[in-house]
Amino acid sequence: QVQLAESGGGLVQAGGSLRLSCAASGTIFRINAMGWYRQAPGKQRELVAAITSEGSTNYADSVKGRFTISRDNAKNTVYLQMNSLKPEDTAVYYCHADIIDNDYIRRDCWGQGTQVTVSS
């Protein structure tokens, strides 16, 4: 059993900042990568940012220069620093992890989501 616990969402004015955290726990052998997706009402879920255990990163074009993803491998935790937030960033943000569990089974794991609302 692997669980992803997200925190850090909330309400913020346009131009403000938030920092999301996601901690993975459970029967984890290895985390290949972690990332953040978001989904606004009526829209498809989209990848925001991802990071491998080695530190390689990828970002959606819409957040480049504003968001930074980082990780603490010792804590199995990934962070998303979101600066210069815009109303169009409003969405539920979901943590994702590509995990190999202790039975050496690859798991596609999702958090329950944390709401980010940016007001103008």
Side-chain angles (χ1 to χ4, degrees), residues 38 46-48 59-67 86 89:
R38 67 186 181 188
E46 64 175 347
L47 176 67
V48 178
Y59 296 93
D61 288 342
S62 60
V63 307
K64 287 181 179 178
R66 300 189 297 120
F67 292 9
K86 304 174 181 179
D89 295 318

Side-chain angles (χ1 to χ4, degrees), residues 69-87:
I69 190 168
S70 61
R71 80 288 187 265
D72 184 338
N73 289 340
K75 297 180 179 180
N76 289 333
T77 299
V78 65
Y79 307 94
L80 186 66
Q81 180 66 45
M82 304 185 294
N83 298 327
S84 302
L85 282 162
K86 304 174 181 179

Side-chain angles (χ1 to χ4, degrees), residues 23 26 29 40-41 45 47 49 54-55 58 67 69 74 85 89-90 93 115:
F29 174 74
R45 184 170 52 189
L47 176 67
E54 292 77 27
N58 283 290
F67 292 9
I69 190 168
L85 282 162
D89 295 318
T90 296
Y93 284 69
Q115 177 71 47

Side-chain angles (χ1 to χ4, degrees), residues 6-12 18 20 39-41 82 89-94 112-118:
E6 300 140 320
S7 63
L11 298 169
V12 66
L18 287 172
L20 306 183
Q39 187 168 23
M82 304 185 294
D89 295 318
T90 296
V92 177
Y93 284 69
Y94 295 93
Q112 65 180 341
T114 184
Q115 177 71 47
V116 171
T117 302
V118 184

